[in-house]
């Protein structure tokens, strides 16, 4: 009887061992197949110049628009997209909006999101952008009490998704036409533009040079700036009720249209529907206050400006 029991136990162990070995082999094969699929997809996207794995934040400037026909772009940071948008729901919505923007040839990604999602996306981007100037916020804040060489400026930002297919990829031969399939990367970008520049573009004060743009890439950048200025003018008009592009925002420092919310709702995602009169272009941008070191002290600035301009105006973004 004892030998029979031992034999049965050994047979069961042998079966369990064999089953475990087969299962491990199948799991390993499945893992290898998954890795091959991931590599194939990554190669496919790379060859199409599609890179949604990162988010690039950059500044666009019209400084050399009239003299050189250029829209300068300067990168602030490039971060993994999962690091910028840690919430899986918001990350999925951003990627979905990016695909819609790319398919529609409309680079203004924010117009593809719901009102509720726009707020969370822009608020998240604000924190990442603001961290680029982290020590400057403290220095600028202390400038109210001590002699300082710090000033500040208002910038606006939005999210875009576009792919450039024009010449200008190479610095040495900027007018050299691109070949078939030679395009820039389709990437999600946080685009910042100085608010005063947006006002001047929206008012028609800043225009494309009569001699034409430097090359095709700068034409594409200029088109993005123009679309951004249109969103800015539209938002300013809705917030202030004025068509004057130099109109002050008043107390609405973040430049956001307020929308009625259902307080106490158990499912805010389900309630994130567009209210009456709300268009996709509404709340597609946000203002951000950026301090910077200056060549003149605050005491000298106070002699030429009012005290209100010298006080830190950090925007509280949480409601």
């Amino acid at each position: 009887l004892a030998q029979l029991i031992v034999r049965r136990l050994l047979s069961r162990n042998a079966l369990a061992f064999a089953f475990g070995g087969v299962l491990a082999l199948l799991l390993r094969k499945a893992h290898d197949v998954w890795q091959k699929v991931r590599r194939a997809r990554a190669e496919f996207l790379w060859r199409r110049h599609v890179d949604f794995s990162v988010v690039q934040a950059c500044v666009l400037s019209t400084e050399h628009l009239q003299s050189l026909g250029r829209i300068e772009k300067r990168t602030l940071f490039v971060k993994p997209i999962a690091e910028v948008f840690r919430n899986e729901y918001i990350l999925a919505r951003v990627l979905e909006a990016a695909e819609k923007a790319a398919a529609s040839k409309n680079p203004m990604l924010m117009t593809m999101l719901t009102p509720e999602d726009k707020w969370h996306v822009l608020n998240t981007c604000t924190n990442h952008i603001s961290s680029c100037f982290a020590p400057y916020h403290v220095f600028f804040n202390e400038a109210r009490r001590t002699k300082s060489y710090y000033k500040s400026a208002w910038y606006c930002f939005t999210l875009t998704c576009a792919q450039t297919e024009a010449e200008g990829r190479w610095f040495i031969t900027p007018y050299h036409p691109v070949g078939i399939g030679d395009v820039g990367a389709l990437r999600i970008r946080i685009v910042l533009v100085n608010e005063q520049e947006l006002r001047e573009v929206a008012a028609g004060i800043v225009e494309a040079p009569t001699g034409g743009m430097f090359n095709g890439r700068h034409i594409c950048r200029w088109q993005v700036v123009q679309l951004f200025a249109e969103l800015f003018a539209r938002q300013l008009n809705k917030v202030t009720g004025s068509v004057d592009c130099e109109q002050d925002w008043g107390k609405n420092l973040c430049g956001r249209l307020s929308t009625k919310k259902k307080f106490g709702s158990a499912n805010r995602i389900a309630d994130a529907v567009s209210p009456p009169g709300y268009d996709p272009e509404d709340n597609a941008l946000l203002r951000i206050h950026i301090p910077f070191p200056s060549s003149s002290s605050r005491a000298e600035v106070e002699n030429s400006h009012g005290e209100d301009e010298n006080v830190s105006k950090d925007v509280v973004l949480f409601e």
Side-chain angles (χ1 to χ4, degrees):
L1 179 63
Q3 292 180 350
L4 180 62
I5 294 175
V6 171
R7 288 177 182 177
R8 288 185 176 181
L9 289 175
L10 290 175
S11 62
R12 289 180 180 179
N13 290 338
L15 288 174
F17 182 79
F19 178 77
V22 172
L23 181 61
L25 181 62
L26 291 175
L27 290 175
R28 182 174 180 179
K29 289 291 184 181
H31 181 265
D32 292 341
V33 171
W34 170 244
Q35 290 293 337
K36 290 180 179 179
V37 171
R38 287 188 60 187
R39 286 194 292 268
R41 175 172 172 78
E43 182 180 358
F44 173 72
L45 293 176
W46 177 256
R47 294 190 182 281
R48 288 180 56 210
H49 298 269
V50 177
D51 187 5
F52 285 166
S53 64
V54 298
V55 173
Q56 179 191 74
C58 61
V59 176
L60 295 183
S61 172
T62 61
E63 179 185 2
H64 296 146
L65 178 61
Q66 289 299 320
S67 59
L68 300 175
R70 295 173 59 90
I71 297 293
E72 305 296 350
K73 186 183 83 169
R74 296 293 178 264
T75 301
L76 295 179
F77 64 75
V78 176
K79 295 183 179 180
I81 190 169
E83 180 181 329
V84 177
F85 304 106
R86 293 184 178 274
N87 182 278
E88 292 184 3
Y89 170 81
I90 289 297
L91 174 59
R93 298 289 74 78
V94 170
L95 291 175
E96 180 182 335
E99 293 176 354
K100 289 181 180 179
S104 65
K105 302 297 182 181
N106 176 12
M108 310 314 286
L109 182 152
M110 294 301 300
T111 61
M112 309 293 173
L113 293 171
T114 66
E116 184 74 13
D117 292 343
K118 285 180 184 177
W119 173 241
H120 290 292
V121 169
L122 290 174
N123 190 38
T124 298
C125 293
T126 297
N127 294 330
H128 285 276
I129 297 171
S130 183
S131 66
C132 294
F133 313 96
Y136 293 171
H137 292 296
V138 177
F139 301 154
F140 181 80
N141 190 59
E142 291 304 312
R144 295 179 295 176
R145 289 174 282 273
T146 60
K147 182 179 179 180
S148 173
Y149 288 86
Y150 277 83
K151 294 183 181 179
S152 65
W154 284 103
Y155 276 73
C156 294
F157 71 90
T158 188
L159 271 71
T160 67
C161 181
Q163 188 172 37
T164 306
E165 300 182 10
E167 71 277 1
R169 182 176 181 182
W170 311 112
F171 177 76
I172 302 300
T173 57
Y175 299 102
H176 184 71
V178 297
I180 299 176
D182 186 7
V183 296
L186 179 63
R187 181 177 290 129
I188 298 173
R189 292 181 174 89
I190 306 172
V191 175
L192 284 87
V193 179
N194 182 279
E195 184 174 295
Q196 188 57 39
E197 292 185 51
L198 288 175
R199 292 178 184 272
E200 293 173 354
V201 172
I205 299 174
V206 173
E207 297 178 327
T210 55
M213 300 296 290
F214 187 69
N215 57 40
R217 289 220 162 196
H218 291 273
I219 292 176
C220 294
R221 291 179 187 175
W222 171 237
Q223 291 171 347
V224 170
V225 172
Q226 286 180 304
L227 290 173
F228 197 174
E230 291 176 6
L231 286 178
F232 174 85
R234 190 180 189 283
Q235 187 81 0
L236 183 64
N237 171 257
K238 281 214 166 187
V239 171
T240 65
S242 173
V243 296
D244 183 7
C245 292
E246 293 298 329
Q247 179 67 36
D248 186 78
W249 290 91
K251 295 182 179 180
N252 196 335
L253 295 182
C254 63
R256 181 174 180 266
L257 282 168
S258 61
T259 57
K260 294 182 180 180
K261 296 182 179 180
K262 298 180 181 180
F263 293 99
S265 173
N267 189 353
R268 298 187 66 192
I269 301 300
D271 293 336
V273 295
S274 299
Y278 190 97
D279 298 319
E281 293 78 14
D282 293 336
N283 289 336
L285 59 89
L286 205 62
R287 303 174 78 215
I288 184 169
H289 188 248
I290 298 179
F292 60 92
S294 171
S295 59
S296 58
S297 68
R298 296 302 288 269
E300 296 171 355
V301 173
E302 290 176 0
N303 295 330
S304 57
H305 298 282
E307 176 64 24
D308 183 62
E309 297 184 16
N310 297 318
V311 176
S312 176
K313 300 178 182 177
D314 289 339
V315 180
V316 178
L317 294 175
F318 298 97
E319 295 182 336

